[in-house]
């Protein structure tokens, strides 16, 4: 995608504020917010085949299979709004297989930057407990954080190796964090 259309990956632990910051960022930069978690929750709500497949997996805090996720994202990235306006990926990639697939879809040069919102485990746990989404039970939270360490944290090195990783402190108010993320994006894109 060309340089005036931002292609941004937002990384961070569950509950670190990816969704919160993404909503503010798409307003500012005009790119399309693609949250795989939101897409899956919409599928569950709609009672589609995908939703039926994903519901129990999500409730347990496990990961939906890579093949399913990569197919959904590839299809979404091919749509006209994203080709015109760029994209903010929230919640994808979160396994090495998904990162490889993204590279296939866009090429390393196809991603402008990855922003990692860094918030410690104790704080994200509290934020999720306070939020109370269906999968914010203590068991599912601890499973999700375990999978983050095993599957998603290694991707930070992958993005770093491609010169794309920018880590921002995710503590403080939503506005504080937003200001930090915007500073990083404006210094790169
Ligand atoms: P997903 O929806 O992506 O959930 P998650 O990864 O667990 O992340 P969250 O959405 O919980 O956290 P967030 O970082 O967006 O934080 P938020 O802004 O909400 O995925 C759900 C499930 O779908 C997965 O478990 C998996 O099963 C499946 N799935 C999704 N993508 C997948 C993939 N690629 N592969 C396989 N499976 C996949 O903030 C959290 C709370 O904190 C909110 O209440 C917010 O208001 C509050 N908050 C935000 N910022 C601040 C702040 N600065 N100070 C205080 N509170 C704050
Ligand atoms: Mg989210």
């Amino acid at each position: 995608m060309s340089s005036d259309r931002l292609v941004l990956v937002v990384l961070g632990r569950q509950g670190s504020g990816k969704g919160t910051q993404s909503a503010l960022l798409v307003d500012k930069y005009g790119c399309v917010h693609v949250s795989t978690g939101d897409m899956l929750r919409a599928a569950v709500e709609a009672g589609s085949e995908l939703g039926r497949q994903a519901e129990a997996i999500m409730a347990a805090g496990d990961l939906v299979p890579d093949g399913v996720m990569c197919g959904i994202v590839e299809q979404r990235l091919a749509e006209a709004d994203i080709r015109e306006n760029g994209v903010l990926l929230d919640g994808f990639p979160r396994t090495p297989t998904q990162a490889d697939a993204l590279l296939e879809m866009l090429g390393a040069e196809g991603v402008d930057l990855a922003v990692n919102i860094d918030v410690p485990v104790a704080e994200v746990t509290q934020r999720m407990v306070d939020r109370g989404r269906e999968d914010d039970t203590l068991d599912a939270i601890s499973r999700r954080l375990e999978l983050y360490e095993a599957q998603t944290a290694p991707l930070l090195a992958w993005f770093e190796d491609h010169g794309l990783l920018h880590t921002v402190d995710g503590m403080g108010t939503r506005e504080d964090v937003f200001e930090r993320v915007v500073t990083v994006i404006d210094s790169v894109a």
Side-chain angles (χ1 to χ4, degrees):
M1 277 177 226
S2 80
S3 56
D4 55 342
R5 290 165 223 147
L6 193 62
V7 178
L8 170 66
V9 175
V10 178
L11 299 164
R13 282 196 180 88
Q14 292 81 354
S16 59
K18 297 184 298 295
T20 303
Q21 294 302 322
S22 295
L24 300 168
L25 289 167
V26 295
D27 259 6
K28 181 170 171 68
Y29 294 100
C31 49
V32 179
H33 184 191
V34 171
S35 159
T36 45
D38 288 350
M39 289 167 88
L40 292 168
R41 279 183 290 278
V44 171
E45 190 69 25
S48 68
E49 176 55 35
L50 170 65
R52 279 193 292 275
Q53 244 181 299
E55 191 166 14
I57 297 175
M58 293 170 78
D62 284 321
L63 291 171
V64 173
D66 283 331
V68 175
M69 294 315 304
C70 294
I72 292 171
V73 171
E74 183 163 25
Q75 218 171 25
R76 185 66 186 90
L77 289 182
E79 286 177 39
D81 59 338
I82 291 179
R83 284 190 279 110
E84 277 162 27
N85 301 307
V87 66
L88 184 166
L89 286 167
D90 161 10
F92 184 97
R94 66 171 88 191
T95 67
T97 304
Q98 293 179 17
D100 288 340
L102 184 66
L103 195 65
E104 287 272 307
M105 291 174 215
L106 298 174
E109 274 97 68
V111 178
D112 293 307
L113 76 162
V115 175
N116 172 36
I117 304 175
D118 186 29
V119 179
V121 168
E123 171 71 13
V124 294
T125 303
Q126 192 56 53
R127 286 184 189 180
M128 286 187 274
V129 168
D130 290 345
R131 181 178 57 185
R133 203 170 69 193
E134 213 147 307
D135 56 345
D136 289 334
T137 60
L138 283 177
D139 281 351
I141 289 171
S142 88
R143 178 66 182 146
R144 279 147 72 200
L145 290 173
E146 191 182 298
L147 285 170
Y148 174 84
E149 294 307 329
Q151 300 280 340
T152 310
L155 300 186
L156 298 179
W158 187 93
F159 281 103
E160 176 98 74
D161 289 346
H162 287 85
L164 294 170
L165 186 72
H166 298 265
T167 294
V168 301
D169 178 5
M171 296 292 279
T173 66
R174 292 161 180 78
E175 294 73 24
D176 289 340
V177 178
F178 182 61
E179 217 176 285
R180 290 177 205 135
V181 176
V182 166
T183 301
V184 162
I185 294 174
D186 290 348
S187 74
V188 173

Short mmCIF file of all heavy atoms in Angstrom, two decimals, residues 18-19 35 38 41 90 131 133, ligand 2:
data_model
loop_
_atom_site.label_atom_id
_atom_site.label_comp_id
_atom_site.label_asym_id
_atom_site.label_seq_id
_atom_site.Cartn_x
_atom_site.Cartn_y
_atom_site.Cartn_z
N LYS A 18 -5.60 -1.79 23.37
CA LYS A 18 -5.50 -1.78 21.90
C LYS A 18 -6.80 -1.26 21.28
O LYS A 18 -6.76 -0.41 20.39
CB LYS A 18 -5.23 -3.21 21.37
CG LYS A 18 -3.90 -3.79 21.83
CD LYS A 18 -3.63 -5.16 21.22
CE LYS A 18 -4.67 -6.22 21.59
NZ LYS A 18 -4.68 -6.55 23.05
N GLY A 19 -7.92 -1.81 21.72
CA GLY A 19 -9.21 -1.39 21.16
C GLY A 19 -9.49 0.08 21.44
O GLY A 19 -9.95 0.83 20.57
N SER A 35 -10.41 -5.23 13.90
CA SER A 35 -10.20 -5.94 15.16
C SER A 35 -10.72 -7.36 14.98
O SER A 35 -11.93 -7.56 14.78
CB SER A 35 -10.97 -5.24 16.29
OG SER A 35 -11.17 -6.14 17.37
N ASP A 38 -13.34 -8.17 17.57
CA ASP A 38 -14.67 -7.59 17.27
C ASP A 38 -15.36 -8.38 16.16
O ASP A 38 -16.57 -8.61 16.21
CB ASP A 38 -14.53 -6.12 16.83
CG ASP A 38 -14.18 -5.19 18.00
OD1 ASP A 38 -14.22 -5.63 19.16
OD2 ASP A 38 -13.86 -4.01 17.72
N ARG A 41 -16.64 -11.57 17.71
CA ARG A 41 -17.80 -11.33 18.58
C ARG A 41 -19.05 -11.04 17.74
O ARG A 41 -20.15 -11.49 18.07
CB ARG A 41 -17.52 -10.19 19.58
CG ARG A 41 -16.72 -10.66 20.80
CD ARG A 41 -16.51 -9.56 21.83
NE ARG A 41 -15.59 -8.54 21.36
CZ ARG A 41 -14.25 -8.65 21.42
NH1 ARG A 41 -13.70 -9.70 21.94
NH2 ARG A 41 -13.48 -7.69 20.94
N ASP A 90 -5.77 -4.74 14.78
CA ASP A 90 -5.86 -4.82 16.25
C ASP A 90 -6.20 -6.27 16.60
O ASP A 90 -7.30 -6.74 16.32
CB ASP A 90 -6.95 -3.82 16.69
CG ASP A 90 -7.51 -4.08 18.09
OD1 ASP A 90 -6.96 -4.90 18.84
OD2 ASP A 90 -8.53 -3.43 18.42
N ARG A 131 -13.70 -4.36 33.33
CA ARG A 131 -14.50 -4.28 32.09
C ARG A 131 -15.65 -5.29 32.12
O ARG A 131 -16.77 -4.96 31.77
CB ARG A 131 -13.61 -4.54 30.88
CG ARG A 131 -14.36 -4.45 29.56
CD ARG A 131 -13.44 -4.67 28.37
NE ARG A 131 -12.76 -5.96 28.46
CZ ARG A 131 -11.82 -6.38 27.62
NH1 ARG A 131 -11.44 -5.60 26.64
NH2 ARG A 131 -11.27 -7.56 27.78
N ARG A 133 -16.20 -8.10 30.25
CA ARG A 133 -16.68 -8.72 29.01
C ARG A 133 -16.89 -10.21 29.28
O ARG A 133 -16.40 -10.74 30.27
CB ARG A 133 -15.61 -8.50 27.91
CG ARG A 133 -16.15 -8.56 26.50
CD ARG A 133 -15.10 -8.09 25.50
NE ARG A 133 -14.00 -9.02 25.39
CZ ARG A 133 -12.84 -8.75 24.79
NH1 ARG A 133 -12.64 -7.56 24.26
NH2 ARG A 133 -11.90 -9.65 24.73
MG1 LIG B 2 -9.65 -5.38 22.09
#
